[in-house]
Amino acid sequence: MGRIRVLSDQVANQIAAGEVVDRPASVVKELLENALDAGATRIRVEVEAGGRRLIRIADNGCGMVRDDALLAFERHATSKIRSSDDLLSIATLGFRGEALPSIASIARVELTTRPPDSPAGTRLEIAGGKILAVEDAGGPHGTTLSVRDLFFNTPARRKFLRAETTELAHVTALVTHYALAHPEIHFELHSATHALLTAPPVSEASERIYQIFGRETLDQLIPLAAERAFDHAGLPEPPPWRRDADYAPPDPGRLRATGFVSRPALQKLNRNSIYIFVNQRLIRDRLILHAITEAYRNIIPPTSFPVILLFLEMPAHEVDVNVHPAKTEVRFRQQSLVHDFVRDSIRATLMKTRPGASFVDAMTASPRASSALVPESAVEDMLVSALPESEAPPQGDDAASFTLAPPEPHPEEVPLPFSAGMASEEAETAAVARANAAFSAAPELGPGATGLRPSPNGHACSAPALPEGGEPAPSLHSLASLKPLGQLRESFILATNDEGLWIIDQHVAHERVLFEKILRERQTERVERQRLLMPMLIDLLPAQMVVFATLADELERNGCEAEPFGPHTIAIKAAPSGLGGGELERMIHEVLEQPGASAQSDNLEAARTRIAASIACHAAIKVNMPLDPARMEWLLAELARTEHPTSCPHGRPIALRYSWKDIQRAFQRI
Ligand SMILES: Nc1ncnc2c1ncn2[C@@H]1O[C@H](COP(=O)(O)OP(=O)(O)O)[C@@H](O)[C@H]1O
Ligand SMILES: [Mg+2]
């Protein structure tokens, strides 16, 4: 007798369930997608015990007649596609016909459904894949699906469930994402008796962000809108002999990106605040993530991540969604076009609003601000971090010398006024951080927690217009109008203008200036260089010699002419102007020492910016260097001219501003 047998439907469904349903949030995802596909305008999600005990989703969509309701629980039963051709252009969120039978095989499911035009509805009860009851039922039109006791018959899977709060956080994050992608739909999420999210319909994504996360988050985000036509359709056309007489080549269609990207000051430690939607489907995609990282390269540190809500829209045939059982991955038919479009649109958006960055935000730009309120000592750390270690002043002393008012006995409870300026900013950023944490947890944050930044037109709920943005931009002119007062410890420039008092880190400011200059000159192949009177010999390790071979050309273009001089040595004949002696040697070692530094392992663009950043860092004015007023003025003017005056190429903040308002507040004049 043979040993192969066909598995029963129940087992097959449980296997499918293993791919589709791994936790309550994935059930919620499938049911939400069904509700959206059914054209619902109101969706209410209810969970108990993080979704382990109950998940109930009620929608006011098209409902199902009784036969369909029964069929819906059959394997591979779907109303969304008919033939394999339809797979090439899927316009719905679902299409596999697997979700309902999978879920019904591992939980107790109750369905009530009624189409709007039918007087009678249907109630269906299924547990562990077995139909227990089918009967008539009344109720409003639409569909309500209750899923109880998830994994009740698969104990092994139940064991993998996390604490209720963790599961609830996942469910909340998920509903939040879908709510963000569909501002026109009313979403509600309740846990037991708690309303976690209530979002009535609005017309713009920005209003939805405001509803869910509040003003602070919205203020940290820059709206993005870009569009381009596809050059050609991504799918091959049929050969000429298979075309009808009235064959018309397909319209290549357009690629659109809308959404929000964070200002450089807002940084996260992980990718959890990056949301990518393709045709309103939330996806994970390495290609797009890469494009985002490229866009922020040298604007934020390589170890930090921005907050992104990106909605890509393209013709359905340009994206294959049939890649992953949970439909969370896609394949673009024109990958590099989509990648470059995303990178360039984000870059353009960041450049356009460059002056809008608030410099005080730089105080909290460190990604450690991501998780919680930054302790004041951390802020002091940041202030002194630019100093060499031996030079770092004792914190207490310097903090005291910063105060504008006598120190309080308990600074943690009643912050010093000068730090109060920071503290309020911190509180704000922390609120943002919390709100953003809510991207992946419960969005408990109400709007207007501090009300620090009123909207320009005074209308609380109004959203920035998409492309131009209507927010109050502290303009770049403010930077150009800075007048230097002097130096602090020969390391930081103190300067003033109408906006208040500024502290500028002279090293990173110059670093940014040089970095952009080198990149600019590099483009026209004219990086300023000086010939060395005597070639400088540098000994390298064997691995560095290998890397040198791949980077010698690029170094040459950046003004650093070097050639091998024996098996372990290179000779530098010319160096970028301003860079000599020990700094030149350190720069060479830095460039050649990075792990994966060779030109093969990272792309040329990355190598290029790394070399430019390294030259800029080593050629820049140092801390502990006296500057005369003319030099300070020159540096501030040059900084004002840069494209990204907010952060150095390694992502550190350049300037801190103490606003006039904060100063007045500290002196209790307002
Ligand atoms: N909330 C709903 N409202 C109306 N019809 C629904 C709903 N949920 C499921 N259906 C119907 O049941 C079918 C099967 O659902 P599902 O198993 O999720 O597969 P898919 O969504 O891939 O088609 C759907 O194609 C749809 O016709
Ligand atoms: Mg479905």
Side-chain angles (χ1 to χ4, degrees):
M1 221 186 59
R3 298 189 311 170
I4 300 178
R5 68 194 124 250
V6 173
L7 295 174
S8 74
D9 269 0
Q10 168 65 0
V11 178
N13 283 334
Q14 286 196 352
I15 291 172
E19 290 175 327
V20 181
V21 178
D22 58 352
R23 62 183 349 152
S26 39
V27 174
V28 174
K29 173 180 185 289
E30 291 296 334
L31 301 187
L32 272 184
E33 291 191 346
N34 281 348
L36 291 166
D37 283 342
T41 57
R42 251 191 110 88
I43 300 178
R44 179 190 158 97
V45 183
E46 218 180 306
V47 293
E48 281 174 23
R52 303 164 63 151
R53 194 178 317 134
L54 171 75
I55 297 166
R56 179 181 292 134
I57 300 198
D59 69 54
N60 64 350
C62 65
M64 286 174 270
V65 297
R66 175 173 293 196
D67 286 353
D68 279 353
L70 283 164
L71 251 173
F73 288 91
E74 294 288 329
R75 208 157 138 69
H76 304 309
T78 179
S79 56
K80 298 170 193 175
I81 57 171
R82 283 171 188 280
S83 69
S84 64
D85 278 355
D86 294 343
L87 279 176
L88 299 178
S89 55
I90 292 166
T92 48
L93 294 169
F95 58 89
R96 301 173 62 97
E98 275 185 334
L100 291 187
S102 301
I103 294 167
S105 72
I106 48 165
R108 303 181 215 278
V109 172
E110 183 189 341
L111 168 85
T112 8
T113 183
R114 179 170 77 79
D117 50 5
S118 153
T122 307
R123 200 182 83 87
L124 209 67
E125 237 180 85
I126 304 182
K130 286 202 184 64
I131 298 185
L132 304 179
V134 189
E135 59 197 28
D136 280 352
H141 81 257
T143 303
T144 301
L145 208 100
S146 306
V147 178
R148 280 177 210 279
D149 304 330
L150 189 61
F151 301 132
F152 80 99
N153 55 352
T154 50
R157 306 218 44 145
R158 199 166 54 226
K159 276 214 200 89
F160 281 103
L161 287 177
R162 298 296 172 85
E164 279 178 22
T165 45
T166 311
E167 296 302 340
L168 181 62
H170 281 281
V171 170
T172 311
L174 198 108
V175 177
T176 308
H177 302 162
Y178 277 86
L180 286 167
H182 299 270
E184 72 290 353
I185 292 176
H186 178 114
F187 277 90
E188 270 177 49
L189 170 63
H190 301 262
S191 171
T193 53
H194 244 65
L196 292 178
L197 174 84
T198 312
V202 284
S203 54
E204 302 253 0
S206 56
E207 293 174 60
R208 190 45 55 102
I209 292 177
Y210 175 79
Q211 281 178 328
I212 296 178
F213 301 114
R215 181 92 249 159
E216 287 78 15
T217 302
L218 193 53
D219 281 344
Q220 293 278 344
L221 300 176
I222 313 169
L224 171 146
E227 189 168 349
R228 65 158 290 169
F230 279 103
D231 303 327
H232 55 84
L235 285 174
E237 292 182 52
W241 60 90
R242 296 197 40 199
R243 297 179 191 176
D244 300 338
D246 55 353
Y247 175 82
D251 173 14
R254 301 185 72 76
L255 174 58
R256 254 164 63 85
T258 55
F260 296 85
V261 300
S262 56
R263 297 178 189 283
L266 184 61
Q267 294 171 18
K268 299 285 166 183
L269 283 171
N270 53 39
R271 300 189 175 92
N272 291 351
S273 303
I274 298 179
Y275 303 101
I276 306 161
F277 298 84
V278 173
N279 293 344
Q280 299 196 305
R281 179 195 303 280
L282 180 70
I283 57 148
R284 284 194 298 260
D285 188 74
R286 292 184 44 197
L287 183 85
I288 305 283
L289 273 176
H290 184 264
I292 292 171
T293 311
E294 290 272 289
Y296 276 86
R297 185 194 295 285
N298 297 116
I299 296 177
I300 63 174
T303 47
S304 300
F305 298 90
V307 175
I308 304 268
L309 277 170
L310 180 68
F311 302 103
L312 287 175
E313 272 165 68
M314 61 192 79
H317 56 75
E318 286 298 337
V319 51
D320 185 358
V321 292
N322 186 22
V323 177
H324 188 271
K327 300 161 289 176
T328 48
E329 284 167 28
V330 297
R331 200 175 293 128
F332 299 106
R333 304 217 197 265
Q334 305 193 49
Q335 295 203 357
S336 58
L337 185 143
V338 173
H339 172 275
D340 294 356
F341 172 75
V342 168
R343 180 196 60 202
D344 297 345
S345 334
I346 297 179
R347 274 239 144 192
T349 307
L350 289 172
M351 306 267 246
K352 204 170 53 193
T353 36
R354 147 187 69 132
S358 156
F359 283 72
V360 184
D361 291 343
M363 287 292 290
T364 44
S366 159
R368 66 183 114 176
S370 174
S371 52
L373 201 87
V374 185
E376 274 170 26
S377 61
V379 175
E380 283 152 20
D381 279 353
M382 277 179 244
L383 268 175
V384 298
S385 65
L387 295 173
E389 242 162 46
S390 56
E391 269 304 306
Q395 283 186 7
D397 283 359
D398 251 38
S401 71
F402 260 116
T403 54
L404 292 178
E408 298 282 340
H410 301 292
E412 333 62 88
E413 285 159 30
V414 189
L416 310 179
F418 207 95
S419 1
M422 304 175 205
S424 64
E425 289 291 335
E426 277 168 48
E428 192 182 8
T429 308
V432 170
R434 259 192 300 137
N436 284 313
F439 270 98
S440 49
E444 79 238 326
L445 211 98
T450 60
L452 271 179
R453 294 183 199 157
S455 76
N457 49 15
H459 182 238
C461 210
S462 77
L466 263 189
E468 271 77 40
E471 60 139 35
S475 75
L476 187 68
H477 307 303
S478 70
L479 198 52
S481 66
L482 280 178
K483 291 273 167 291
L485 300 175
Q487 272 173 299
L488 188 64
R489 292 201 169 219
E490 300 182 337
S491 298
F492 300 98
I493 299 173
L494 292 178
T496 57
N497 65 4
D498 277 357
E499 287 189 6
L501 174 68
W502 298 64
I503 304 180
I504 294 108
D505 182 325
Q506 64 193 39
H507 171 66
V508 291
H510 195 210
E511 204 178 346
R512 168 53 75 182
V513 169
L514 288 177
F515 174 68
E516 294 195 6
K517 177 165 174 273
I518 294 165
L519 284 188
R520 243 188 347 261
E521 292 177 349
R522 160 73 182 73
Q523 256 175 359
T524 50
E525 305 270 334
R526 287 189 47 247
V527 174
E528 249 179 79
R529 65 194 65 190
Q530 74 217 13
R531 276 234 145 254
L532 303 184
L533 288 175
M534 290 263 293
M536 180 178 189
L537 300 182
I538 300 180
D539 288 336
L540 297 179
L541 299 170
Q544 290 178 317
M545 282 304 277
V546 175
V547 178
F548 172 75
T550 70
L551 288 183
D553 277 356
E554 191 51 41
L555 278 166
E556 203 276 325
R557 285 195 195 95
N558 282 282
C560 191
E561 286 171 33
E563 56 189 39
F565 188 86
H568 308 296
T569 311
I570 57 169
I572 315 248
K573 297 180 158 171
S577 47
L579 189 61
E583 288 296 340
L584 174 58
E585 188 170 349
R586 278 193 281 280
M587 184 280 285
I588 291 288
H589 279 293
E590 184 176 293
V591 165
L592 300 181
E593 224 156 59
Q594 308 245 353
S598 72
Q600 298 99 14
S601 63
D602 62 357
N603 67 37
L604 197 59
E605 161 97 23
R608 201 171 282 166
T609 50
R610 211 185 53 238
I611 291 173
S614 187
I615 294 174
C617 179
H618 289 278
I621 295 170
K622 302 283 172 299
V623 291
N624 297 313
M625 190 184 270
L627 300 177
D628 60 31
R631 188 119 173 100
M632 286 191 264
E633 246 169 65
W634 167 84
L635 180 56
L636 295 179
E638 288 291 308
L639 179 65
R641 269 198 282 278
T642 58
E643 279 175 2
H644 292 287
T646 47
S647 53
C648 83
H650 305 107
R652 290 212 307 247
I654 293 177
L656 312 177
R657 186 198 62 181
Y658 298 91
S659 76
W660 174 228
K661 214 167 156 189
D662 284 340
I663 294 171
Q664 281 180 305
R665 211 182 283 138
F667 281 109
Q668 301 179 0
R669 287 184 170 274
I670 51 170

